[in-house]
Amino acid sequence: YAEYGCRRRSWQYSYKPNCNMFHEIDLSRDVDEEVAVGYVGDYNYDMHHISAGYWRDVWDVRNIDVPKGDDDQVLKMLRWNHKFNFGTHNEIHIDALVMEQLSASPRIINMYGHCETSVSVEPMVKELEEFVVPYGFIDQKDLNDKDDVDPQNKFTATEKLNIALAMAESLADLHGFKDGMIIHDDVQLCQWLWDKNGKLRLGDFNRAELSLWSEKDQKYCKHYNGMGWGNWRSPEEYEPDDLDETIDVYSFGNNIYALLTGLWVFYEIEDDEVVKKHLLDEERGFVDERYRARSYAEGVLVEVMEKCWSQDPKDRISIFEAVDILKKAVIENTRREANAV
């Protein structure tokens, strides 16, 4: 990037591990002898492992028999099958760096510490994805939509609008960060979780791009982050070259589609390669026209989604424009609901 005059900002070189805290964490469990008699393997009792992604395992380091308190924490650690090298170190360093820089935001998961390929974060209560897309895929013939649309989740139109705004605001915290734009680069529903107070928070920044700045052009430089995979990405990520923050906006549109319908985009197709071909051919998931007029809130969501889905990144709305539309819609939707009572 240096040849194009692109440079990092000073904070992007920051590295502040607090490894002593990690070495003090006890991953053992006390064994109740009465429970241990006839033990056949209760993994919820005898281990802290609670989840895993492609890169990392997730460990709950509180005692599951003790009510959650302010001292709870979750460890996200590099999985054993990945190599320990500069790449894995850098990804988790970026994850920690983003959480540190955005610690003032109430919409970003709080980090408690970082050591090499591990981070310690606040525990979350539940993941958004499992409630938005309980099943995800379905054959068109199995939708009970003869008389009306058949959303596959249980959210009301108002709840969908509020969730969309919460997601957009957290992405705006990244794109509008005062010390330099941050691109999430992996926007999908599972990156948002609810905390114990019911607040939706964004996390998982190990693929984040800390945008470089061009002094010559006085704007942010484009980036390359490898070939995209999965079925939730923007078309340009499958033929990656010069990428920017609009990839997050496109994927945010996919999240709105899932909120509206309770389904994945191209919900009849489970093969990611087939989805990729559709996107490169400038095709979009089917949107039942009845959503536009079903309610004020759902109509606005369709409008924002389509503005996010423009094939040409330059034609997409910014995440700030999405926030503005959704904020105004929440106010108007609240007014309409109050007048309907």
Side-chain angles (χ1 to χ4, degrees):
Y1 289 112
E3 62 184 288
Y4 300 106
C6 300
R7 68 174 182 83
R8 297 192 180 278
R9 297 184 181 248
S10 59
W11 67 268
Q12 296 175 355
Y13 292 101
S14 175
Y15 183 58
K16 302 174 182 177
N18 55 334
C19 293
N20 285 353
M21 184 201 81
F22 285 78
H23 298 159
E24 294 167 358
I25 293 174
D26 183 5
L27 286 177
S28 65
R29 278 204 196 284
D30 292 331
V31 176
D32 185 325
E33 293 184 4
E34 293 183 5
V35 174
V37 173
Y39 174 74
V40 292
D42 182 353
Y43 291 106
N44 286 325
Y45 182 83
D46 73 358
M47 63 189 295
H48 296 264
H49 188 261
I50 57 175
S51 186
Y54 177 76
W55 285 106
R56 291 182 287 185
D57 284 310
V58 182
W59 304 81
D60 186 348
V61 295
R62 67 180 177 87
N63 189 322
I64 62 172
D65 299 318
V66 176
K68 288 191 173 183
D70 293 337
D71 59 344
D72 296 341
Q73 58 181 309
V74 167
L75 290 182
K76 300 176 71 174
M77 306 169 70
L78 184 69
R79 300 188 77 179
W80 64 270
N81 54 316
H82 292 295
K83 292 182 178 179
F84 174 70
N85 54 30
F86 175 77
T88 53
H89 160 86
N90 192 53
E91 284 199 352
I92 297 173
H93 173 216
I94 289 175
D95 186 33
L97 192 55
V98 171
M99 284 189 284
E100 178 197 15
Q101 292 295 315
L102 292 170
S103 59
S105 171
R107 292 170 286 271
I108 303 298
I109 291 176
N110 288 320
M111 181 183 71
Y112 297 149
H114 164 232
C115 181
E116 198 50 52
T117 57
S118 300
V119 293
S120 170
V121 300
E122 65 178 322
M124 296 287 105
V125 175
K126 52 188 178 181
E127 190 178 280
L128 179 63
E129 181 179 302
E130 61 186 277
F131 295 92
V132 174
V133 280
Y135 308 108
F137 297 101
I138 193 171
D139 289 333
Q140 180 70 40
K141 62 181 176 58
D142 294 328
L143 284 173
N144 183 25
D145 61 354
K146 180 179 179 181
D147 299 319
D148 191 11
V149 293
D150 184 26
Q152 298 296 294
N153 58 44
K154 297 180 180 179
F155 293 112
T156 66
T158 295
E159 288 172 332
K160 293 175 182 181
L161 185 62
N162 291 332
I163 290 172
L165 174 59
M167 287 193 289
E169 287 179 324
S170 57
L171 288 174
D173 285 345
L174 298 180
H175 292 189
F177 179 51
K178 63 181 179 62
D179 289 325
M181 181 171 62
I182 300 170
I183 303 169
H184 191 283
D185 208 338
D186 198 19
V187 170
Q188 49 182 312
L189 290 169
C190 63
Q191 314 294 29
W192 279 270
L193 302 96
W194 280 288
D195 66 17
K196 60 184 179 182
N197 298 315
K199 184 80 173 180
L200 199 61
R201 293 175 179 264
L202 173 62
D204 237 352
F205 305 105
N206 57 295
R207 275 186 62 93
E209 180 69 23
L210 311 181
S211 297
L212 307 184
W213 179 256
S214 171
E215 292 288 356
K216 176 183 177 182
D217 298 327
Q218 287 296 293
K219 64 180 183 180
Y220 289 107
C221 301
K222 304 280 188 175
H223 75 278
Y224 172 83
N225 203 12
M227 183 68 69
W229 53 274
N231 61 0
W232 58 87
R233 298 193 178 278
S234 62
E236 60 267 28
E237 289 177 86
Y238 296 113
E239 293 183 345
D241 188 10
D242 291 337
L243 304 177
D244 58 23
E245 74 277 10
T246 58
I247 63 175
D248 285 353
V249 174
Y250 187 97
S251 296
F252 172 62
N254 291 343
N255 288 359
I256 293 179
Y257 183 93
L259 270 175
L260 277 170
T261 65
L263 297 166
W264 297 121
V265 182
F266 300 109
Y267 50 81
E268 291 189 288
I269 305 171
E270 297 191 41
D271 188 330
D272 292 349
E273 288 300 313
V274 176
V275 171
K276 170 183 172 180
K277 184 178 185 304
H278 283 303
L279 289 172
L280 292 175
D281 289 340
E282 301 190 23
E283 298 177 30
R284 297 293 179 268
F286 171 70
V287 181
D288 194 312
E289 287 295 315
R290 290 174 289 183
Y291 276 112
R292 297 182 191 275
R294 192 167 185 254
S295 68
Y296 169 76
E298 288 165 307
V300 171
L301 289 175
V302 172
E303 173 196 347
V304 174
M305 176 184 71
E306 291 180 336
K307 290 178 183 293
C308 293
W309 272 359
S310 294
Q311 186 77 10
D312 188 334
K314 295 191 295 293
D315 295 333
R316 292 173 201 155
I317 61 172
S318 71
I319 199 63
F320 310 110
E321 292 171 312
V323 167
D324 185 56
I325 294 171
L326 292 168
K327 272 187 176 179
K328 291 176 180 176
V330 166
I331 294 171
E332 174 62 16
N333 190 62
T334 301
R335 185 192 67 79
R336 292 181 180 223
E337 288 187 329
N339 291 339
V341 175

